[in-house]
Amino acid sequence: MCAVSNLKDVTAPDDIPRMDIAAMQKKMAAMKALPFIKDGMVLGLGTGSTADIFLELLADYIQEKNYKISAISSSDRTRQKALSLNIPLLPMGQTTETDLCIDGTDEFNDSFYLIKGGGGALLCEKIIARSAKKMIVITDERKYSKEFGQFPLPIEIVDFETGIILANIKNIHAKFASCDQFTPNIRRTKDGKIFRTDMGHMIVDVPFSGIQNVHALSDALLNIPGVVEHGLFLNEARIILTDQRELRRT
C-alpha cells in the first residue's frame, strides 16, 4: 500500500492542543528566517500555513528594523495577507529576480528534496523559487521523511481530457512508485467542487511512496502533455530551517 502522509505523531501534553504545538513549531522555524532578511531586498513569498505565520513576523520585523523591502507573492491568498499587513508588493510581471525566497514545504529529506503544493500554489511557488538567489524553507520536523515520497505528490494539470492525462500519469507511476496501487485524487474544495489554482488549473494528488530516481520522475511527468507542473522541488532549497535544526546545502 502507498502511504499518503508522512506526518509523524507528536505527543502533546493534555493541556496543549495538538494544533497549537504545530503552530508553535512553525513559528519557531519562521523566526529563524528573519535574520536572513536585509534592507533593500526583494523577497519571494510562499503560500500556506507556515508562510502565513512568517508574513505576520515579517511585517513586525521590517517595521522594527525600518527596512525598505519589496516582495512578490505566490498566490492571491498570500497577496491579500501581505497587503493586510502593509508588506510592500511589487506590481505583477515587473520582477526578473528575487534576492530571497522564503516558503514552507509538505515534505523534505536529507538531500534537500521537497514536495510542495499542499496549498495549491506549486506552479507560482516554483516560478518564484527559481527566480531567487537563495531559497530558504521554513518547516517543522514532522515534515521530515527519510523515505522520500510519503506525502502525495501534487500534479497540476489542465482541464482537458483528464482521463488521458491520468492514464499517462498512471504509466509513469508504474515505473517509479514502490507500490502497484495507483490512487489519484482530483483535489476538491470543502463543498465538493473541483479545486482550481489561481491559474485556473486542476490538481491531482498522487501517492508515490518511496521515490528512488526523483529527477527522472520529474522529467517524465513534465513530458506528459497536459501536465503543467508538479510539486517536486529538487534543486531550489539552499537552507532548511525547522523548529529543531538548521540545514545548509553545500
Side-chain angles (χ1 to χ4, degrees):
M1 295 290 291
C2 284
V4 296
S5 176
N6 73 317
L7 299 183
K8 299 175 176 61
D9 183 47
V10 178
T11 302
D14 292 339
D15 58 340
I16 302 179
R18 188 178 299 263
M19 289 304 296
D20 287 351
I21 290 181
M24 286 190 296
Q25 291 171 335
K26 292 174 182 180
K27 185 174 182 178
M28 290 169 63
M31 289 177 64
K32 292 182 179 180
L34 296 175
F36 290 91
I37 298 168
K38 306 302 179 185
D39 193 21
M41 275 188 166
V42 176
L43 303 180
L45 305 176
T47 295
S49 58
T50 307
D52 285 346
I53 292 172
F54 172 73
L55 289 177
E56 294 170 0
L57 295 172
L58 174 64
D60 291 338
Y61 187 75
I62 60 176
Q63 183 177 18
E64 176 186 335
K65 294 286 188 178
N66 197 28
Y67 280 175
K68 303 299 181 183
I69 65 102
S70 54
I72 58 175
S73 66
S74 56
S75 66
D76 289 340
R77 166 183 170 173
T78 294
R79 180 176 183 80
Q80 292 304 317
K81 187 169 184 66
L83 290 173
S84 71
L85 294 168
N86 295 318
I87 296 173
L89 294 178
L90 293 170
M92 189 174 295
Q94 296 188 15
T95 306
T96 59
E97 184 180 64
T98 58
D99 295 297
L100 186 63
C101 170
I102 301 177
D103 202 351
T105 190
D106 297 304
E107 183 177 350
F108 72 96
N109 72 354
D110 294 320
S111 297
F112 286 73
Y113 297 154
L114 314 175
I115 290 181
K116 291 176 50 56
L122 62 99
L123 173 60
C124 297
E125 286 176 331
K126 190 169 286 190
I127 291 172
I128 290 177
R130 292 275 179 90
S131 79
K133 296 175 183 177
K134 182 183 295 182
M135 180 186 187
I136 295 178
V137 177
I138 49 177
T139 186
D140 58 84
E141 286 294 331
R142 300 175 309 132
K143 306 295 179 65
Y144 171 76
S145 180
K146 188 172 184 179
E147 184 182 8
F148 190 63
Q150 298 304 299
F151 191 90
L153 178 62
I155 304 173
E156 191 164 339
I157 63 175
V158 298
D159 189 0
F160 176 78
E161 292 295 348
T162 55
I164 294 174
I165 299 172
L166 290 176
N168 286 325
I169 293 175
K170 182 177 181 179
N171 291 335
I172 299 301
H173 183 273
K175 297 178 181 179
F176 289 95
S178 63
C179 62
D180 295 329
Q181 185 180 7
F182 179 65
T183 55
N185 176 43
I186 297 292
R187 191 177 299 182
R188 295 183 178 273
T189 60
K190 291 181 179 179
D191 59 2
K193 296 180 180 179
I194 291 178
F195 173 86
R196 300 285 177 181
T197 70
D198 289 349
M199 302 295 107
H201 300 135
M202 302 167 62
I203 290 182
V204 55
D205 296 300
V206 182
F208 272 94
S209 180
I211 303 172
Q212 297 301 315
N213 194 336
V214 290
H215 290 279
L217 172 59
S218 172
D219 292 342
L221 289 172
L222 291 177
N223 200 39
I224 297 174
V227 169
V228 180
E229 191 52 87
H230 56 67
L232 290 172
F233 284 58
L234 306 180
N235 300 306
E236 289 79 12
R238 294 298 165 203
I239 298 175
I240 298 178
L241 304 174
T242 80
D243 51 305
Q244 298 181 25
R245 53 183 172 152
E246 175 180 320
L247 307 174
R248 291 178 180 257
R249 196 171 197 167
T250 57

